[in-house]
């Protein structure tokens, strides 16, 4: 202890006070320790609840998974039974599946019924009606009925429904029939969703006949003639929940994957106030649905819950929730807690008077210090009340408070200023990063820098494309009211600042170019006193405008990881208090440099993105040009379709009526996606061989094989000529031999003329003409040379029809007789790609031929119409599938996400007759419908396809009109195509003059 000279009293040493405080703390810690012990006990209650809840939830899940597994097994087994595909007779009594149905229902008591729905709307069902009095009464079933056998059969156009009532041994007790029932299995969800690969399960629902929950499992039969399904009663789940008594005061709640309550314990039902009816499954309350999985309290209640979410046999996620009042587990521990609390309160009551007396003097001092601390926290730095205390440490603390207030007051002022600038910097960087326009971006950068530095003016420079000068982007001066560039209406008239002299040396005389070359900030207090830089132009500007340019701050624009792209210069920093021009402070310089760094990165990224966009768009144009250049028959198509599509889409945006009212692309990025989709719509044609696209005759591949056949006819004619002379040498009359030769020659000429005409594929080939081709093919000719030498190994492998990979070509010694025309194994070209792997995920509806190509001579010459085989026609149509598959593999950014849609739907039709997905009106967006019209119109009007004569405009519009009336194209867009004049604007630019005739558009509208 010591005497305080200010008060004349002895101060109490703080250590004594501390000892007393420690004693009080010990009491508190004792109480805390007891509380921790109680917490451990409470944890034990939690653990007990978790174990009980987890066991109950797992048991319930096992019950559900077990009977769903049985049902899934039964459906899987049934789908493989061949006899289930047999259509039912009038009553189905003799159907092979009847015995299977009876055994299945008898073996699995949870099944309500088993049935098969057939592709022709017929239906066979057996229902286990044991205990279902209402169902039996509704159907008028005789006493003793156990099973109901239901059939729906189709005879011509009449559908008949029959109900047969059977006892438990399968004996017939009676039957009823009615005609034209409304029920059609093909429209049921279980039939629609079924497939041959896996068993599908419906969501649980209330069975109308049972008035209890259940679900349906279904699977398509192996012969695809129908779908087998079972109805599964979920009563067993409710029975399990009702009988499970392992959760004191609570119970289980079973919920399906869509939040429907399947089963609930009566105590839980009362707690949740669930309204259980016989016709609907109640919704899971929101507070329970929001619970996390595992152990958790129920909000706004004294209940606890354990939630288990797992996928069961059905492939759907089921939720099992165990709930109970917390009091069921915590009761004993609550009583212990109350006893301990009484003991602690008694101990505190004993210690409190001692602590209060010792701390009384401390309280007064601490109150003063606390009040002073609160004032400091509120940044109030007035006089501190006089402190009277006998504790010397508190006196020292009060002195420290006084010094602290002075320091904090000064630092707070600086911090507020810095925080304001930092907030401004953050907001500016956010705005700069989001801005895309170069003019608005330049103005944001310079205005933000002026705001941070209180600069009166400034300018922003960017390097030009030649990289030999800095161009002014924006110039601002508040005092002079001067603004050029940016979003102002005034263009920049100031000349660029050259970076190099005539000898190619860096220009270091100008402060802006010096900053660019050095990459360093230059801060000048007064330009009129500065040395080392040429400010003559600045002085000339000042004289002309009555201005005084004093302080300068010039910072480089240097993006991270790239070279310097420009500079920013600020002029005349103004003191916000006095209004005087002052130098740019180091702190302001750091903030402006930070802003310049972010701004430079934003400018660089914007330019980089623009370059990438131009590169990407150029590559797309390159692909389109390559496709057009690939075939002279489609040259220019990929270039012209986007022109039509863009013209029509612009008109659609202006339309204010019908379904087009309000249509808009929304942004330039959406327009870009549409334009790119139009350019890429035929990208898949890079995979289509040119000779298939250009196939002008039936026998043409890379060359026209009619020349091979002509050679064979020549050989036969030559053989006939030789035969004539041989007959004469053998003693035959010369006139007779010549007449025979003449007849053969005429026949060969007629046959070849017919084959050659057929090869052109101009008219529909009749059955008689096809028969004549096959008859001509039977004529024999003698081949003397081995046709297996000089060919590729790939063709040689096709010379046999054997399916073995190591099959060898059977050698046939020449000479050998062959058919004049033939379909040979080497003509069959197999596919080299796995189409399921390539196209499996796209849901294409086009039928894929077994072969890649079939070049059989008879097969090609007997094509009914045109020159293309089914394989070649698919190969041409496949270009859309290839387009979609190719573009789907591209990592397109989100703004180009619809490019695949725009490029891959131009052959779809509103009536579902298009390809490759057979989309309908509801599936096709307005841009997709525009693409279809643009593609058809260009193809019909194209004048660069030598295999067809260019059609005049009126004929093309008439064809498009027929497409409209057939529901092939969108009628409103077709009308807009005409009324807006898009068709004629395009025609005047791209069509031949003789194609542009008058079109009476009025007869095509409406």
């Amino acid at each position: 202890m010591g005497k305080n000279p200010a008060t004349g009293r002895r101060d109490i040493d703080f250590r004594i006070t501390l000892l007393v405080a420690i004693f009080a703390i010990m009491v508190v810690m004792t109480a805390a320790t007891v509380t921790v012990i109680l917490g451990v006990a409470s944890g034990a209650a939690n653990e007990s609840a978790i174990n009980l809840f987890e066991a109950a939830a797992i048991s319930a899940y096992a019950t559900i998974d077990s009977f769903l597994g049985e049902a899934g097994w039964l459906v899987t087994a049934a789908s493989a039974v061949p006899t289930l595909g047999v259509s039912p007779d009038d009553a189905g009594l003799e159907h092979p599946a009847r015995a299977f149905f009876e055994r299945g229902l008898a073996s699995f008591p949870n099944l309500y019924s088993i049935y098969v729905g057939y592709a022709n709307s017929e239906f066979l069902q057996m229902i286990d009606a044991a205990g279902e009095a209402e169902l039996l009464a509704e159907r008028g079933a005789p006493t003793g009925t156990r099973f109901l056998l239901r059939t729906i059969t189709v005879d011509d156009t009449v559908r008949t429904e029959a109900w047969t009532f059977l006892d438990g041994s399968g004996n017939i007790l009676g039957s009823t029939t009615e005609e034209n029932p409304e029920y059609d299995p093909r429209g049921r969800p279980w039939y629609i969703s079924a497939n041959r690969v896996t068993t599908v399960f419906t969501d649980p629902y209330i069975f109308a006949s049972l008035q209890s929950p259940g679900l349906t499992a279904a699977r398509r039969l192996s012969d695809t003639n129908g779908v087998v399904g079972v109805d599964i009663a979920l009563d067993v789940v409710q029975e399990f929940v009702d009988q499970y008594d392992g959760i004191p005061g609570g119970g289980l709640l079973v919920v399906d994957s869509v939040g429907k309550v399947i089963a609930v314990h009566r105590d839980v039902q009362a707690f949740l106030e669930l309204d259980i009816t016989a016709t609907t499954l109640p919704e899971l309350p929101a507070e329970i649905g929001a619970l996390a999985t595992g152990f958790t309290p129920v909000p706004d209640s004294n209940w606890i819950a354990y939630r288990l979410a797992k996928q069961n046999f059905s492939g759907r996620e089921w939720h099992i929730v165990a709930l109970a009042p917390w009091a069921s587990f915590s009761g004993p521990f609550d009583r212990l807690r109350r006893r301990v609390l009484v003991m602690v309160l008694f101990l505190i009551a004993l210690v409190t008077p001692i602590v209060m007396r010792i701390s009384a003097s401390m309280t007064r001092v601490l109150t003063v210090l606390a009040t002073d601390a609160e004032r400091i926290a509120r940044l109030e730095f007035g006089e501190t009340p006089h402190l009277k205390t006998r504790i010397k440490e508190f006196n020292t603390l009060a002195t420290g408070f006084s010094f602290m207030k002075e320091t904090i007051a000064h630092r707070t002022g600086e911090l507020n200023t810095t925080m304001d600038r930092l907030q401004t910097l953050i907001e500016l960087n956010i705005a700069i990063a989001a801005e895309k326009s170069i003019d608005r971006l330049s103005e944001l950068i310079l205005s933000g820098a002026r705001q941070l530095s209180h600069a009166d003016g400034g300018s922003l420079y960017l390097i030009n494309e030649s990289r030999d000068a800095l161009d002014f982007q924006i110039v601002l001066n508040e005092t002079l009211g001067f603004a050029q560039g940016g979003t102002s209406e005034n263009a920049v008239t100031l000349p660029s600042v050259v970076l190099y002299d005539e000898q190619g040396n860096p220009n270091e005389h100008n402060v802006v170019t010096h900053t660019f070359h050095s990459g360093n900030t230059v801060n000048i207090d007064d330009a009129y006193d500065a040395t080392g830089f040429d400010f003559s132009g600045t002085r000339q500007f000042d004289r002309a405008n009555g201005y005084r340019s004093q302080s300068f701050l010039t910072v480089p624009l240097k993006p991270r990881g790239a070279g310097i792209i420009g500079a920013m210069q600020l002029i005349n920093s103004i003191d916000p208090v006095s209004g005087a021009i002052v130098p740019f402070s180091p702190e302001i310089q750091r903030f402006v440099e930070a802003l310049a760094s972010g701004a430079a990165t934003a400018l660089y990224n914007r330019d980089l993105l623009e370059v990438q966009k131009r590169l990407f768009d150029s590559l797309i144009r390159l692909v389109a040009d390559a496709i057009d250049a690939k075939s002279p028959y489609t040259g220019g198509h990929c270039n012209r379709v986007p022109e039509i599509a863009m013209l029509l889409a612009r008109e659609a945006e202006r339309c204010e009526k019908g379904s087009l009212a309000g249509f808009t692309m929304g942004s330039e990025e959406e327009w870009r996606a549409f334009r790119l989709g139009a350019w890429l719509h035929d990208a898949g044609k890079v995979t289509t061989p040119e000779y298939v696209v250009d196939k002008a005759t039936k026998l043409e591949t890379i060359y026209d094989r009619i020349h091979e056949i002509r050679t064979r006819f020549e050989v036969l004619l030559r053989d006939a000529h030789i035969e004539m002379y041989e007959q004469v040498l053998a003693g035959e009359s010369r006139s007779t031999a010549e007449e025979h030769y003449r007849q053969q020659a005429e026949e060969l000429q007629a046959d070849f003329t017919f084959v050659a005409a057929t090869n052109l594929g101009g008219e529909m080939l009749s059955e008689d003409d096809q028969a004549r081709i096959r008859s001509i093919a039977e004529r024999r000719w003698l081949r003397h040379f081995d046709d297996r030498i000089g060919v590729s190994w790939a063709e040689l492998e096709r010379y046999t029809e054997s399916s073995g990979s190591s099959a060898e070509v059977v050698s046939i010694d020449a000479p050998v007789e062959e058919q004049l025309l033939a379909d040979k194994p080497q003509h069959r070209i197999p596919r080299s790609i796995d189409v399921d792997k390539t196209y499996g995920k796209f849901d294409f509806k086009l039928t894929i031929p077994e072969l890649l190509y079939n070049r059989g001579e008879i097969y090609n010459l007997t094509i009914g119409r045109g020159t293309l085989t089914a394989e070649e026609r698919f190969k041409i149509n496949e270009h859309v599938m290839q387009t979609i598959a190719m573009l789907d593999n591209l990592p397109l950014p989100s703004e180009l996400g619809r490019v695949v849609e725009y490029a891959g739907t131009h052959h779809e039709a509103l009536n579902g007759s298009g390809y490759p997905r057979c989309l309908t009106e509801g599936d096709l967006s307005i841009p997709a419908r525009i693409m279809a019209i643009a593609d058809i119109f260009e193809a019909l009007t194209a004048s660069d396809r030598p295999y067809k004569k260019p059609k005049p405009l009126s004929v093309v519009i008439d064809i498009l009109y027929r497409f409209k009336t057939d529901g092939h194209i969108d009628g409103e867009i077709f009308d807009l195509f005409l009324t807006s004049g898009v068709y004629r604007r395009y025609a005047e630019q791209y069509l031949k003059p003789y194609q542009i005739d008058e079109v009476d558009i009025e007869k095509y509208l409406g």
Side-chain angles (χ1 to χ4, degrees), residues 22-35:
I22 289 175
F23 174 76
I25 292 172
M26 289 176 63
V27 174
V28 175
M29 290 186 65
T30 301
T33 301
V34 174
T35 303

Side-chain angles (χ1 to χ4, degrees), residues 894-911:
S894 58
E895 63 269 18
L896 299 181
R898 300 187 70 182
V899 166
V900 181
E901 174 198 347
Y902 299 149
T905 53
H906 60 286
H907 283 299
E908 300 288 356
L910 269 66
N911 59 13

Side-chain angles (χ1 to χ4, degrees), residues 307-337:
R307 181 170 181 171
L308 175 68
K310 294 182 69 175
Q311 282 190 351
N312 55 31
F313 185 87
S314 68
R316 299 174 182 269
E317 188 173 73
W318 287 55
H319 298 258
I320 313 297
V321 185
L323 299 100
W326 171 241
S328 298
F329 301 92
S330 64
F333 303 109
D334 288 340
R335 291 190 294 273
L336 178 60
R337 183 181 293 108

